Amino acid sequence: MEDTEPGKAHAPAEPGKADPAAQPGTGPAAERKTGPAAEPETGPAAADGDQPEPGPPAPDDESRTGGAGGATKKKKRLRRTRRIALTVLLVLLVPLLTAEAALRVTYMGDPADGTYTRNRDAIWLGHAWVDGRKTDADLAAFARRVRTTGIRDLYVHTGPMEHDGTLPKSLYPGAHWLIDAVHRQLPGVRVQAYLGDVLATESPDGMRLERAATRAAVVDSARQVLDVGYDGVHLDLEPLHSGDRNYLSLLDDVRAVTRARDAQLSVAAHQIDPLPGFHSFWGTVAGHPKWWSQAFFGQVARRVDQVAVMSYDTMQPLESLYGGYVAQQTALALEATPPTTHLLMGLPFYHENRFGHWNHAETVAAAVRGVRLGLSRTDADRERFGVAAYIDFAATEEDWTSYRDGWVR
């Protein structure tokens, strides 16, 4: 998943050099001998007791070389550079601190009563479930764990697809076993084929959705997994930039296939701009837009049966800020998702420490509370709503407990 992992001030121009005639130690006056080593003039005037007219004070070495003036210019440049740097820092920090403070406020308050599972939750499962590594005992243990939760959809990693959109059948030899066993042990739970790949949007390697042949191959891959018996197709293509018309076209074509088979089409969705147009700004400074506009999110949501927001890897450093961020994302997603589409918010059932994901901050407990707050303030009675846990093989007992205590009840 994306996973789902952000200027420069010019130094002031050097002031122009002053007129040499105005500098000490230069010009005609400098030709006169002055200073302690100069001998007094002699001649009649001196004999009469007249004193020689004192000349200008002798310039020191710095004055002769312009050192004092140069040092002053350097100090001025340094002060100006510091002022510019401070201004740039304030321009960047003030909005950031303001936004973080707003997230902290968003995390305050109490969720509304009844904002718990609607029994429409999901979980992403690793590839081991279809490549032969998992056994009947593994499935029995998994069934015992989820039977009393709200989980009704399993997104089982069945790919990845090749960059040309094809899907080797050798990748999922255990798919029939898993589908049959789940339907037998967990009635009402759907098994969807999780198909993903890296897009060539930020590197030369990857799937290219602008190629019609590639999109057609992805549609064929969807038919292929439905023929196996999967209850749906779950697409996760990253990094997917906001406004990608080729992606929308692909969703239209795949949904025509899933509808004809009475199957589900679900997608893993990027987060929504926390500020309008933020994906454009982030793309400019970091080369990775990351977010989608709310309008594009809505366009995607209207084309699928389920949209699961990857509401983790948020760069938030504190649990309260992460929870506030999830509350904000939940509200933005609810506003953009039609009530006929099933919306799910992601829960981080994995543990990493890096810039984009701080394990101490991105907790399941904070995410669940954030989801409930966003739901409470936006559409507390939304029926087609749930949470989606990523991912089974990295989950801890604490993750499962936080999900149950905070959301399932």
Side-chain angles (χ1 to χ4, degrees), residues 321-381:
L321 298 181
Y322 172 62
Y325 183 89
V326 173
Q328 179 199 56
Q329 286 292 309
T330 302
L332 291 171
L334 283 167
E335 292 170 356
T337 304
T340 52
T341 299
H342 179 187
L343 172 64
L344 301 104
M345 301 303 297
L347 304 181
F349 271 39
Y350 66 102
H351 305 271
E352 297 177 358
N353 275 307
R354 49 185 170 79
F355 174 71
H357 180 100
W358 299 110
N359 188 53
H360 65 273
E362 296 199 15
T363 65
V364 175
V368 166
R369 176 174 164 77
V371 167
R372 293 188 62 208
L373 287 169
L375 182 64
S376 300
R377 295 164 180 162
T378 311
D379 192 354
D381 297 323

Side-chain angles (χ1 to χ4, degrees), residues 147 152 181-190:
R147 190 172 284 121
R152 296 296 179 270
V182 168
H183 288 167
R184 184 173 60 254
Q185 297 190 42
L186 294 169
V189 173
R190 292 178 294 209

Side-chain angles (χ1 to χ4, degrees), residues 254-273:
V254 175
R255 195 174 193 191
V257 172
T258 56
R259 277 184 167 175
R261 305 287 190 93
D262 194 25
Q264 295 287 297
L265 172 58
S266 59
V267 295
H270 288 34
Q271 297 157 30
I272 300 173
D273 280 335

Side-chain angles (χ1 to χ4, degrees), residues 1-218:
M1 313 295 290
E2 165 160 347
D3 96 110
T4 208
E5 322 155 181
K8 294 182 181 177
H10 291 286
E14 183 178 353
K17 293 183 179 179
D19 183 356
Q23 297 298 311
T26 60
E31 295 180 12
R32 298 182 60 178
K33 284 188 175 182
T34 59
E39 296 182 5
E41 294 184 4
T42 58
D48 293 338
D50 295 334
Q51 299 297 318
E53 181 180 351
D60 56 22
D61 290 340
E62 283 189 348
S63 297
R64 288 194 183 97
T65 61
T72 301
K73 292 175 185 178
K74 289 180 180 178
K75 290 180 180 178
K76 289 182 178 179
R77 285 198 297 270
L78 182 59
R79 286 196 295 268
R80 186 176 299 180
T81 301
R82 287 174 176 171
R83 286 197 296 269
I84 293 173
L86 179 60
T87 300
V88 171
L89 187 63
L90 290 175
V91 167
L92 294 175
L93 281 182
V94 170
L96 175 62
L97 294 175
T98 301
E100 295 293 80
L103 293 181
R104 181 65 184 88
V105 172
T106 302
Y107 194 58
M108 298 170 65
D110 296 320
D113 292 338
T115 50
Y116 303 114
T117 186
R118 276 82 164 126
N119 293 316
R120 292 178 176 270
D121 303 333
I123 185 170
W124 281 277
L125 300 182
H127 200 80
W129 288 100
V130 294
D131 67 5
R133 283 177 285 171
K134 293 292 187 179
T135 65
D136 289 334
D138 294 319
L139 184 60
F142 177 76
R144 286 193 298 271
R145 182 182 290 278
V146 304
R147 190 172 284 121
T148 56
T149 69
I151 293 176
R152 296 296 179 270
D153 282 283
L154 310 180
Y155 302 142
V156 185
H157 191 269
T158 307
M161 293 179 286
E162 299 294 323
H163 292 340
D164 63 2
T166 59
L167 178 67
K169 294 182 179 180
S170 59
L171 291 178
Y172 51 92
H176 279 296
W177 163 79
L178 177 67
I179 296 167
D180 291 344
V182 168
H183 288 167
R184 184 173 60 254
Q185 297 190 42
L186 294 169
V189 173
R190 292 178 294 209
V191 185
Q192 300 193 41
Y194 161 16
L195 305 179
D197 193 25
V198 175
L199 296 179
T201 51
E202 298 174 14
S203 71
D205 298 322
M207 182 181 288
R208 297 184 179 275
L209 292 182
E210 66 272 18
R211 296 175 179 172
T214 299
R215 298 197 302 274
V218 173

